[in-house]
Amino acid sequence: MDIVSLTIDQVQDGLRARRFSAVELATAALEFARDENPKTNAYLSFSEERALDAARHVDEKLARGEDAGPIAGVPVAVKDVIVTKGVRTTCGSKLLANYIPPFDATAVERLEAAGGIIIGKTNCDEFAMGSSNENSAFGPVRNPHALDRVPGGSSGGSAAAVAQGTAVVALGSDTGGSIRQPASFCGVVGVTPTYGRVSRYGLTAFASSLDHIGPFGRSVRDAALLLNVIAGRDPLDSTSAEAPVPDYLTHLDGKVKGLKLGLPREYLRDLTSESGNLIGKAIETLKKLGCDVRDITLPTTDYAIACYYVIATAEASSNLARYDGVRYTFRSSSSENLNDMYRNTRGEGFGAECKRRIMLGTYVLSAGYYDAYYLKAQKVRGLIARDFSNAFAKVDAIVAPVSPFPAFKIGEKIGDPMAMYLSDIYTITGDLAGIPCMSVPCGKTTGGLPVGMQILAKHFDEARMFRLADAFERTGGAQN
Amino acid sequence: MKITEEQVRYVADLANLKLTDDEVRKFQADLNEILVHFDRLNEIETSQFDPMAQVLYEAEETATLRPDRERPGLGNELALANAPLASSGYFKVPEVIKR
């Protein structure tokens, strides 16, 4: 058993043929993840007891000849902004360093019900705010492909864990690119489903009109299978959609001939040459597969960063108000009265990026500025969404880069918040429109850094997005 | 400067955030740069458009509602389990009103 390259299907075959038990696999995965962790700092906690309980449950079912679920025995890593009952959930923040959630997120419940084994919680930017994973209170994650570089953010730990092979698949969250950008930097598949496709019950809120939970995998098939398991309406999240969930695996049939793909010209201007070359090669490959690639325009793209950072910080300033020293573990020890206690707790507890965003969000919502910033940004958001619906009237899917550049050095951009924000330019638009989008590996730079290609599709059209990504993956597109 | 030091302190106060003098200076510079970028939004004409508050898709108006059925809550003990200070079934906070 080679844990590093294991797929979900191989786990199912191995369990069925009794080459290993779920308990043996969970034990081996936990040991491997613990041994590897000093290299990348991808995990913040390991959930050994819970993992072994779940694995025993799978083994018992299999012994009785019952169906143990589509991801039975599969080691899964979960981003530490998604709550796990009884397992510490820090959100990468000093404020929640000792927080033990009293309930499970719906996505967590569903993946365990499908037989998945949660082995640990992964490092991330504090409250998922960042593009490099350097904003974690528990130290940065290092990119498994180059340990002096960032894994991307904010779901850097989940991407690194899957790339490193310490988990077969992982859950992340995406508000402005936090799944796709780390997936591209770490050379794995990362999926941001349609807004409402996956319940956010138990996802610690950052910007509620933009937050998504989504899967990471080493293959399109594994990511699609994990989405199968977690997708669908949840009465506990009123923003989750009633729309039926197709079996995504049945769409991985290679039938992409004649598919109309749009190439937004606004997304091809600021690419470093190596990333640009790899995207160019990937597009040639898609043409060889018979896809009809045409230029399109998404004219509001230039305003997307401003639009996103107004809306996301406004919502964040409201969502983070709950961390006030009353309910969630951390309280400043030096306060005379209630108001001081709030102020000191938040001043001592939040890291620099969270404070910056709370400040920005409070400012844009404050009296006299609401219309100029927040309302204006919401109108621009509507225009960005309209750009996409206009495009999808002409094409079946959109193909674009994920990031203007591959993984950068730890420390390279952390001193310049505006430069860090600008690096999200190709990913935030999908979140603003609420459409499904994903990153699929399309090769490596000469320095060995992975680059991802982004695919975007219509609302609830994940199946077509997976079909294209899978067809591309089968050509060996990641080996360019 | 789009934002004064006084405004930074005012916003920090609204946000219940205690900042050091160094942080105030740093955030004044950071916020200024970001707000200058935000001004781009004024280049685009939006007077005829409605604000988009959430992602919309084709669905019945009542699609997001659930039946109003009773279900158990967390319970007092679990709800207080992460409190920094609690007693007699309540969250405990520093003195609010002087007697």
Side-chain angles (χ1 to χ4, degrees):
Chain A
M1 172 175 63
D2 180 11
I3 293 186
V4 175
S5 62
L6 212 54
T7 67
I8 294 178
D9 287 346
Q10 285 168 357
V11 173
Q12 305 316 301
D13 290 346
L15 289 175
R16 226 174 288 129
R18 311 262 161 132
R19 281 196 295 281
F20 48 79
S21 69
V23 168
E24 282 165 355
L25 177 57
T27 308
L30 277 160
E31 192 188 325
F32 181 58
R34 277 208 171 96
D35 285 352
E36 288 289 298
N37 209 39
K39 280 187 209 159
T40 59
N41 198 29
Y43 291 86
L44 294 177
S45 324
F46 293 100
S47 44
E48 182 161 359
E49 206 182 307
R50 182 166 176 157
L52 293 178
D53 277 350
R56 263 190 295 275
H57 191 61
V58 165
D59 283 336
E60 283 161 15
K61 274 190 162 176
L62 292 173
R64 289 195 300 264
E66 293 168 23
D67 180 4
I71 59 168
V74 172
V76 185
V78 174
K79 185 180 182 181
D80 217 18
V81 291
I82 300 172
V83 300
T84 39
K85 188 175 181 175
V87 177
R88 185 176 81 132
T89 300
T90 67
C91 297
S93 179
K94 180 182 167 185
L95 274 167
L96 297 179
N98 300 309
Y99 177 62
I100 311 287
F103 66 103
D104 276 327
T106 298
V108 161
E109 220 168 57
R110 287 188 180 175
L111 81 83
E112 276 193 339
I117 311 295
I118 296 167
I119 60 164
K121 303 297 296 291
T122 52
N123 203 344
C124 54
D125 285 300
E126 186 177 10
F127 291 105
M129 294 178 193
S131 311
S132 68
N133 218 120
E134 292 167 288
N135 298 325
S136 166
F138 307 100
V141 174
R142 288 175 288 278
N143 191 316
H145 293 273
L147 295 174
D148 59 339
R149 289 181 185 263
V150 304
S154 68
S155 311
S158 288
V162 172
Q164 210 177 3
T166 55
V168 175
V169 288
L171 288 185
S173 70
D174 193 314
T175 305
S178 285
I179 290 175
R180 286 157 288 155
Q181 188 249 23
S184 76
F185 282 13
C186 291
V188 298
V189 175
V191 180
T192 311
T194 308
Y195 184 81
R197 178 84 293 183
V198 176
S199 164
R200 287 103 48 85
Y201 182 71
L203 169 66
T204 307
F206 158 12
S208 305
S209 80
L210 296 157
D211 292 341
H212 306 69
I213 288 180
F216 286 94
R218 284 189 289 271
S219 66
V220 175
R221 188 178 172 81
D222 280 359
L225 182 40
L226 185 55
L227 186 60
N228 264 356
V229 164
I230 60 173
R233 169 77 182 160
D234 171 18
L236 298 176
D237 174 5
S238 63
T239 61
S240 68
E242 285 283 3
V245 183
D247 177 359
Y248 297 118
L249 297 188
T250 62
H251 294 263
L252 309 182
D253 53 12
K255 289 181 186 160
V256 296
K257 203 170 171 209
L259 213 58
K260 290 196 280 290
L261 303 180
L263 208 58
R265 65 175 77 108
E266 292 82 2
Y267 285 53
L268 300 167
R269 288 185 305 222
D270 312 312
L271 287 172
T272 64
S273 55
E274 273 208 283
S275 298
N277 288 342
L278 287 165
I279 295 293
K281 272 190 191 172
I283 290 161
E284 286 312 308
T285 304
L286 295 172
K287 284 181 185 164
K288 278 183 202 146
L289 287 170
C291 297
D292 170 8
V293 182
R294 49 182 83 177
D295 285 342
I296 57 165
T297 176
L298 300 168
T300 322
T301 304
D302 278 349
Y303 305 97
I305 296 270
C307 173
Y308 172 84
Y309 277 96
V310 170
I311 292 172
T313 58
E315 293 183 15
S317 72
S318 167
N319 276 324
L320 295 185
R322 75 192 67 182
Y323 304 105
D324 56 6
V326 177
R327 287 156 293 170
Y328 299 101
T329 65
F330 178 78
R331 175 182 291 184
S332 165
S333 54
S334 56
S335 309
E336 305 254 305
N337 58 51
L338 186 63
N339 272 331
D340 275 0
M341 193 277 282
Y342 292 153
R343 272 150 224 254
N344 293 338
T345 296
R346 292 162 62 78
E348 291 166 30
F350 284 120
E353 183 59 30
C354 281
K355 285 183 188 169
R356 187 156 35 235
R357 295 200 193 191
I358 290 170
M359 291 290 292
L360 255 180
T362 307
Y363 178 81
V364 300
L365 290 177
S366 63
Y369 295 102
Y370 178 87
D371 285 356
Y373 291 109
Y374 190 65
L375 200 67
K376 179 82 189 182
Q378 284 191 320
K379 289 182 173 184
V380 173
R381 182 178 185 181
L383 293 179
I384 290 168
R386 197 183 62 167
D387 276 0
F388 280 107
S389 46
N390 287 345
F392 287 124
K394 299 186 193 99
V395 297
D396 300 310
I398 293 172
V399 175
V402 174
S403 167
F405 34 69
F408 44 89
K409 290 233 165 78
I410 293 175
E412 193 181 318
K413 293 192 196 293
I414 195 72
D416 186 350
M418 198 58 227
M420 192 75 94
Y421 295 174
L422 290 172
S423 73
D424 299 335
I425 176 70
Y426 305 135
T427 48
I428 51 172
T429 48
D431 293 286
L432 286 166
I435 56 174
C437 24
M438 69 185 288
S439 174
V440 59
C442 69
K444 285 184 181 172
T445 65
T446 44
L449 300 175
V451 171
M453 170 173 68
Q454 188 175 197
I455 303 173
L456 307 96
K458 271 181 266 201
H459 288 132
F460 300 107
D461 201 12
E462 284 87 356
R464 193 164 356 201
M465 179 176 86
F466 283 136
R467 174 181 282 147
L468 183 65
D470 170 69
F472 176 75
E473 185 183 71
R474 288 195 216 182
T475 65
Q479 273 73 56
N480 272 331
Chain B
M1 278 284 178
K2 288 192 69 76
I3 184 164
T4 63
E5 186 187 316
E6 201 187 345
Q7 281 176 302
V8 173
R9 290 187 192 279
Y10 169 71
V11 171
D13 202 48
L14 288 178
N16 271 330
L17 211 49
K18 186 176 182 191
L19 299 183
T20 64
D21 290 342
D22 281 349
E23 283 177 318
V24 169
R25 276 189 292 276
K26 172 89 177 88
F27 287 142
Q28 189 191 351
D30 289 352
L31 264 54
N32 186 63
E33 193 187 353
I34 297 163
L35 291 171
V36 166
H37 181 83
F38 282 0
D39 275 348
R40 266 189 192 206
L41 293 174
N42 296 323
E43 296 168 12
I44 191 166
E45 169 56 43
T46 52
S47 54
Q48 305 153 41
F49 299 107
D50 290 331
M52 173 177 169
Q54 58 180 327
V55 179
L56 294 174
Y57 32 81
E58 294 293 315
E60 298 279 323
E61 227 167 273
T62 55
T64 55
L65 302 179
R66 60 173 167 76
D68 186 17
R69 267 189 227 114
E70 213 180 310
R71 58 188 174 87
L74 273 183
N76 190 275
E77 201 181 320
L78 264 184
L80 290 174
N82 282 291
L85 203 60
S87 72
S88 317
Y90 293 98
F91 292 100
K92 228 174 148 183
V93 296
E95 194 173 23
V96 185
I97 303 163
K98 284 234 181 292
R99 267 177 236 214

